[in-house]
Amino acid sequence: MSASFHHRRDLACSPATAWRLLTDPEQMNRWSAAPIALSDNGIGDRPDGMGALRVVTLPGGRSRLREVVELAEFPRRFVYRVHDGGPLLLSHRGEQTIEATPSGCRLTWSVELRLAGGLSRPIARSIAKQVGASLDALAALAPGEPDSDDPGPPADRPATLTRSELATLRGAAFESLDAQIGIADRLAAAGDPKQWFARVYQYVTQEMIAVADRPEALRNPDWVLALIPVFHDYFTANLAAYEDGGPCTPAWQRAWSLCEREDPDHPERPVMRGLLAGVSAHIDDDLPHALADVAAARYPDRDLREFRPDYLRLAPVFTAASDHLLADLPRSHKPWWTPIAARVHPQVRDDLLGRKGFHVGRQRLKAFAAARAAVVQS
């Protein structure tokens, strides 16, 4: 169950000045009870630009919320989302709207959050109290602030594709999915243990298409659909090279080698090791290249950071793909913790597994940063 809270404050300053105080971490630290640190700028190389990353340290210092700026409509509307708030925080979205008034402006700050274990309401009450106290400090600070002449961050430019163009991208994505199904089926028919990673790769593609098909889920579904065939080409090229005895990347060489290993006493162990190695090869090796390739080919005039909110929204597809595979595995190949995992929220499970092996969320952030650096250097 989710919980929400809303705060309103009349501020004796212009909307542009209020925007600066509300969205720049350096200014926010003048009134916020929770310290805010900028991790990376968004578009326009600004802390308030779409795609900016910041970290909020809650009072007490033990909990941190990692946020991404999802929308910046200067000076009226600012939306952020917590993409990593620990295993118990399932969702957290904040929206700030600013309206001009005769004496300055009116701020409305709305937050909706959801936690595991029935904690949503008590945590929301606690955060609401802290935010309210911080806004009282902001209201006291605002009258002495000089008017801001900052033009604000650039607006994002989501692509305006025709239905035909979007259908073409979707068709290419499904062609990749069909090819991946064929690969997994071929390996399964041959009794090849590489089938398990091939199958989970198929499920990742399937889940990406499903997310892109939900109008409310993404701002740039065309970008997600365009990525799928590029991922597919890297995946199939390395598999073909490995099967032919030719050169493939070291990460894929290791992954496919681990996938082929067998342990008669513990058949689940090589399956899990192979899956982790395959996911690592996909995220660490292929993902930065694919992101940079699509940026250069289709979006050369757009800042890659504009797509970061959508990119972070794709994180659950890996969990969903893993769950599909766990359901497919024969009983002898299922890890011992499978029955327990079914009773634990996927985000909690992912966090626990990430501490023992490959942390998908953190590595995906590194992959995006590597892609961004490659785009900037090109």
Side-chain angles (χ1 to χ4, degrees):
M1 182 180 294
S2 63
S4 62
F5 63 84
H6 310 272
H7 283 296
R8 287 184 177 85
R9 293 291 187 279
D10 288 325
L11 304 177
C13 63
S14 68
T17 298
W19 177 281
R20 174 174 59 85
L21 291 170
L22 284 162
T23 63
D24 182 345
E26 186 175 320
Q27 297 297 320
M28 294 168 73
N29 286 325
R30 298 172 60 197
W31 53 265
S32 175
I36 296 99
L38 181 69
S39 298
D40 190 29
N41 281 320
I43 60 175
D45 282 324
R46 293 178 57 109
D48 56 350
M50 187 173 182
L53 298 176
R54 56 194 193 183
V55 180
V56 180
T57 302
L58 298 181
R62 289 178 295 180
S63 299
R64 290 181 173 83
L65 305 180
R66 303 181 190 281
E67 300 175 345
V68 59
V69 175
E70 293 207 320
L71 187 67
E73 296 177 345
F74 177 82
R76 299 177 304 277
R77 186 169 175 236
F78 186 80
V79 179
Y80 62 89
R81 184 176 64 85
V82 175
H83 64 86
D84 181 0
L88 296 179
L89 182 61
L90 308 180
S91 65
H92 181 133
R93 179 185 182 274
E95 180 171 342
Q96 298 165 334
T97 58
I98 304 170
E99 301 174 82
T101 65
S103 58
C105 63
R106 174 167 295 167
L107 163 68
T108 302
W109 189 340
S110 302
V111 172
E112 183 170 356
L113 53 84
R114 185 164 61 95
L115 288 95
L119 296 172
S120 300
R121 288 183 177 176
I123 295 299
R125 284 195 295 268
S126 175
I127 296 177
K129 183 177 180 180
Q130 294 163 5
V131 172
S134 293
L135 290 182
D136 289 341
L138 172 63
L141 176 70
E145 290 299 296
D147 283 344
S148 174
D149 58 0
D150 188 333
D156 69 309
R157 295 177 296 160
T160 53
L161 274 72
T162 65
R163 288 186 178 181
S164 175
E165 290 169 326
L166 201 59
T168 298
L169 288 172
R170 192 169 182 271
F174 269 104
E175 287 180 10
S176 297
L177 176 59
D178 289 342
Q180 290 165 20
I181 293 171
I183 291 170
D185 288 349
R186 169 176 65 82
L187 294 172
D192 190 324
K194 293 195 297 296
Q195 65 176 290
W196 305 120
F197 181 74
R199 191 68 73 191
V200 84
Y201 204 97
Q202 164 203 324
Y203 288 141
V204 167
T205 299
Q206 180 179 306
E207 291 296 320
M208 287 180 69
I209 294 173
V211 174
D213 280 350
R214 296 203 307 268
E216 77 288 353
L218 301 170
R219 195 163 176 81
N220 299 280
D222 55 295
W223 177 73
V224 173
L225 292 171
L227 282 170
I228 290 172
V230 181
F231 288 144
H232 175 74
D233 288 346
Y234 278 105
F235 168 67
T236 54
N238 278 287
L239 176 58
Y242 181 83
E243 291 183 323
D244 293 342
C248 57
T249 68
W252 278 113
Q253 178 71 36
R254 177 177 180 272
W256 292 126
S257 298
L258 286 174
C259 285
E260 288 185 330
R261 294 182 185 178
E262 297 184 81
D263 184 342
D265 295 328
H266 298 281
E268 78 284 354
R269 291 179 181 175
V271 172
M272 292 299 107
R273 289 169 185 153
L275 287 175
L276 283 174
V279 170
S280 174
H282 168 69
I283 293 177
D284 294 342
D285 239 32
D286 294 355
L287 189 49
H289 297 298
L291 291 169
D293 289 350
V294 171
R298 294 188 59 88
Y299 308 98
D301 60 338
R302 293 172 68 179
D303 190 323
L304 184 60
R305 292 171 295 191
E306 186 179 322
F307 301 101
R308 185 151 49 192
D310 282 344
Y311 177 78
L312 292 173
R313 283 186 173 271
L314 290 174
V317 305
F318 293 91
T319 299
S322 299
D323 287 344
H324 283 309
L325 184 70
L326 286 175
D328 287 351
L329 286 173
R331 190 178 187 87
S332 60
H333 287 61
K334 292 182 187 288
W336 64 267
W337 43 261
T338 302
I340 301 173
R343 297 194 294 270
V344 176
H345 192 279
Q347 184 165 305
V348 177
R349 185 184 66 214
D350 290 350
D351 187 77
L352 292 173
L353 290 174
R355 296 182 189 188
K356 298 293 184 181
F358 184 82
H359 198 293
V360 171
R362 291 171 191 165
Q363 293 306 121
R364 289 185 78 246
L365 275 174
K366 291 180 181 178
F368 192 94
R372 162 73 180 160
V375 168
V376 169
Q377 292 171 6
S378 65

